């Protein structure tokens, strides 16, 4: 079927300069899954967006892949009911990796499944032990798959060869609850975070060994992201976002604007901007040079969860507890005046159309 599209949210923002081009911005609010939509990923070729629904007897037990061109459903992959699911596309956009594990404080068997988007067939499944959270991530070369599994007071990071999925290394973390994981965009450096505690662990994916660790935020770090310049962004439980120089372990900035805890963070492809989502129902874009808030979106009507920025810089996607997926597309317009500034937009009234 088709995703429902709300016409009344289609609003152009005249006035931005992004990655060398002046742009406007259009938003689409899309509905296509039942239950809380926890995670979202835009494929590197910007053709597809994948979403996950979660919640016992609330979700629709499918990972869904949608066409960004016309909002049609491209594929649906079955997943167990009541679990938390996380996503990762391969660099060639031909495969989708799905992590499935417990939800919240509930333990459940964890697994990672690799789906072929062309044939829509399951290729491999890696079984894991019981966990409360699981997330797979690929390194920049796409030859190492790292899988984080978290429990209340311990967790594991396992490194697999990809696409063979043979176990290479395993790192056990004791007395901490793992919460986030991200690869460097240029190297084989992997970082993990904990919540509570806010400990950042730096690992070498080739050897599986710890390189460094430090406390980024004592209250806890919910998610992490790395850009090409070696900057680390931390989505903190108190709503702030920390910006760190990973090599020196020095905090170089703190972004304040969310009133409840930050859920997800994602750098723009050129590393100069940051996308964040929050339990306060807002999504924000930040300028890292000035450490200022460029845009605030209030178009979600419940806590914003997953956030992703496409590799070509053209598409931003966020999800929320109410089952919505909002796709924001950057529209190039080099006729916009140079002195036009970013503004904050508030989309306070739109009609929700559901399937």
């Amino acid at each position: 079927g088709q995703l429902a599209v709300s016409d009344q949210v289609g609003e152009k923002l005249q006035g931005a300069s992004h990655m060398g081009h002046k742009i406007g911005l259009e938003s689409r609010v899309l509905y296509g899954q039942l239950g809380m939509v926890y995670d979202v990923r835009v494929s590197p070729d910007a053709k597809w967006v994948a979403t996950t629904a979660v919640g016992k007897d609330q979700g629709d037990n499918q990972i869904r892949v949608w066409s960004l061109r016309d909002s049609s459903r491209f594929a649906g992959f079955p997943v167990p009911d009541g679990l938390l699911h996380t996503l990762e596309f391969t660099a060639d956009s031909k495969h989708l990796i799905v992590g499935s594990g417990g939800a919240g404080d509930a333990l459940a068997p964890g697994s990672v499944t690799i789906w072929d988007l062309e044939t829509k067939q399951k290729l491999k499944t890696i079984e894991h032990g019981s966990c409360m959270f699981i997330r797979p991530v690929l390194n920049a070369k796409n030859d190492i798959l790292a899988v984080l599994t978290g429990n209340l007071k311990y967790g594991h990071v396992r490194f697999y060869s990809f696409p063979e999925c043979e176990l290479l290394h395993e790192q056990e973390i004791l007395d901490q609850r793992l919460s986030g994981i991200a690869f460097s965009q240029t190297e084989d450096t992997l970082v993990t975070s904990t919540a509570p505690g806010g400990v950042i662990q730096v690992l070498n994916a080739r050897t599986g060994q710890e390189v460094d660790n430090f406390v980024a935020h004592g209250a806890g770090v919910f998610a992490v992201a790395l850009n090409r310049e070696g900057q680390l962004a931390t989505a903190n439980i108190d709503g702030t976002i920390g910006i760190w120089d990973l090599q020196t372990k020095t905090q170089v900035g703190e972004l304040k604007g969310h009133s409840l805890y930050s859920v997800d963070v994602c750098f723009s492809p050129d590393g100069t901007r940051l996308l964040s989502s929050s339990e306060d129902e807002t999504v924000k874009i930040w300028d890292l040079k000035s450490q200022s808030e460029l845009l605030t979106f209030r178009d979600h009507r419940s806590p914003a969860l997953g956030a992703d920025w496409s590799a070509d810089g053209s598409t931003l996607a966020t999800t929320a507890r109410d089952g919505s997926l909002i796709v924001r597309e950057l529209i190039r317009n080099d006729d916009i005046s140079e002195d036009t500034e970013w503004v904050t937009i508030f989309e306070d009234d739109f009609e929700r159309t559901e399937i």
Side-chain angles (χ1 to χ4, degrees), residues 4 9 17 34 38 63 73 120 133 136 188 190 230 235 292 327 355:
V9 178
S17 178
L34 303 174
Y38 178 76
I63 303 299
R73 191 180 81 169
K120 301 179 183 178
F133 178 73
D188 290 321
L190 183 85
S292 61
V327 176
I355 297 176

Side-chain angles (χ1 to χ4, degrees), residues 278-349:
S278 170
E279 279 279 331
D280 66 8
E281 303 184 5
T282 67
V283 171
K284 295 179 184 289
I285 299 177
W286 308 83
D287 178 77
L288 295 180
K289 184 177 181 180
S290 64
Q291 295 191 18
S292 61
E293 179 183 319
L294 297 179
L295 282 170
T296 292
F297 300 98
R298 300 183 185 273
D299 37 11
H300 283 298
R301 286 299 178 269
S302 66
L305 301 175
D308 197 24
W309 201 321
S310 66
D312 66 356
S314 68
T315 304
L316 300 87
T318 57
T319 60
R321 288 185 184 273
D322 66 357
S324 61
L325 160 67
I326 297 185
V327 176
R328 303 173 183 86
E329 294 177 294
L330 302 176
I331 310 301
R332 177 174 171 174
N333 183 351
D334 284 333
D335 295 326
I336 298 175
S337 171
E338 285 288 352
D339 57 4
T340 307
E341 297 180 352
W342 287 86
V343 298
T344 300
I345 64 172
F346 302 88
E347 294 170 337
D348 289 328
D349 186 24

Side-chain angles (χ1 to χ4, degrees), residues 40-43 48-52 63-65 75-77 86-90 92-99 112-118 121-124 136 138 162:
V40 61
R41 284 293 180 270
V42 180
S43 63
W48 319 110
V49 58
T51 57
T52 70
I63 303 299
R64 300 212 176 190
V65 182
F77 302 130
T86 54
L87 305 168
E88 177 84 328
F89 278 101
T90 54
D92 59 10
S93 301
K94 293 182 178 180
H95 303 95
L96 181 66
I97 304 171
V98 179
V112 172
T113 303
I114 302 168
W115 294 90
D116 187 301
L117 291 177
E118 182 178 358
Q121 297 297 310
K122 183 190 300 184
L123 297 180
K124 291 182 180 179
L138 282 167
F162 192 82

Side-chain angles (χ1 to χ4, degrees), residues 12-327:
K12 280 192 177 182
L13 171 66
Q14 296 298 327
S17 178
H18 178 70
M19 297 180 68
H21 298 294
K22 286 162 271 183
I23 61 141
L25 184 142
E26 292 182 334
S27 295
R28 286 181 291 160
V29 177
L30 313 174
Y31 283 84
Q33 288 199 276
L34 303 174
M36 177 179 75
V37 182
Y38 178 76
D39 201 18
V40 61
R41 284 293 180 270
V42 180
S43 63
D45 61 7
K47 289 183 178 180
W48 319 110
V49 58
T51 57
T52 70
V54 66
K56 185 68 176 175
D57 301 323
Q58 297 177 20
D60 49 15
N61 305 332
Q62 279 198 338
I63 303 299
R64 300 212 176 190
V65 182
W66 310 95
S67 166
L68 281 173
R69 180 179 59 85
D70 59 9
S71 300
S72 62
R73 191 180 81 169
F74 172 74
F77 302 130
V79 289
D81 183 32
L83 302 187
L84 199 64
H85 311 287
T86 54
L87 305 168
E88 177 84 328
F89 278 101
T90 54
D92 59 10
S93 301
K94 293 182 178 180
H95 303 95
L96 181 66
I97 304 171
V98 179
S100 299
D105 290 333
L107 280 169
S111 66
V112 172
T113 303
I114 302 168
W115 294 90
D116 187 301
L117 291 177
E118 182 178 358
T119 64
K120 301 179 183 178
Q121 297 297 310
K122 183 190 300 184
L123 297 180
K124 291 182 180 179
T125 297
I126 308 171
E127 300 291 348
H128 288 266
S130 292
C131 60
M132 294 177 178
F133 178 73
I134 185 168
R135 182 177 285 281
V137 291
L138 282 167
N139 67 338
K141 295 179 181 178
N142 268 218
D143 63 352
I144 295 179
L145 171 68
V147 179
L148 176 151
T149 55
N151 290 288
L152 191 59
K153 291 187 177 180
Y154 66 96
H156 291 85
V157 179
R158 296 178 175 90
F159 297 93
Y160 298 89
S161 61
F162 192 82
E164 300 83 5
C165 296
E166 297 178 356
L167 182 64
L168 301 174
H169 315 287
E170 181 175 353
Q171 180 79 225
E172 185 177 26
I173 291 89
L174 299 175
D175 301 320
Q176 299 180 72
R177 184 169 183 169
L178 289 171
S179 55
I181 185 170
F183 260 114
S184 164
Q185 296 183 25
T186 57
E187 303 172 346
D188 290 321
T189 299
L190 183 85
V191 297
T192 65
S193 62
T194 67
V199 176
I200 301 298
Q201 184 182 37
V202 184
L203 301 169
N204 183 313
R206 295 290 166 187
T207 65
Q209 297 300 305
E210 180 180 280
V211 176
D212 216 335
N213 72 79
F214 60 95
V215 176
H217 197 282
V221 173
F222 198 76
V224 288
L226 287 164
N227 68 8
R228 293 180 178 275
E229 284 68 44
Q231 285 186 320
L232 168 72
T234 63
N236 302 328
I237 286 181
D238 68 353
T240 61
I241 297 167
I243 306 298
W244 293 77
D245 183 311
L246 189 61
Q247 185 173 5
T248 64
K249 298 182 291 185
T250 303
Q251 185 167 0
V252 296
E254 186 177 55
L255 309 178
K256 296 181 178 181
H258 289 302
S259 59
L260 294 174
Y261 72 78
S262 301
V263 178
D264 206 0
V265 285
C266 182
F267 283 101
S268 63
D270 65 357
T272 63
R273 294 178 179 171
L274 189 77
L275 175 68
S276 66
S277 59
S278 170
E279 279 279 331
D280 66 8
E281 303 184 5
T282 67
V283 171
K284 295 179 184 289
I285 299 177
W286 308 83
D287 178 77
L288 295 180
K289 184 177 181 180
S290 64
Q291 295 191 18
S292 61
E293 179 183 319
L294 297 179
L295 282 170
T296 292
F297 300 98
R298 300 183 185 273
D299 37 11
H300 283 298
R301 286 299 178 269
S302 66
L305 301 175
D308 197 24
W309 201 321
S310 66
D312 66 356
S314 68
T315 304
L316 300 87
T318 57
T319 60
R321 288 185 184 273
D322 66 357
S324 61
L325 160 67
I326 297 185
V327 176

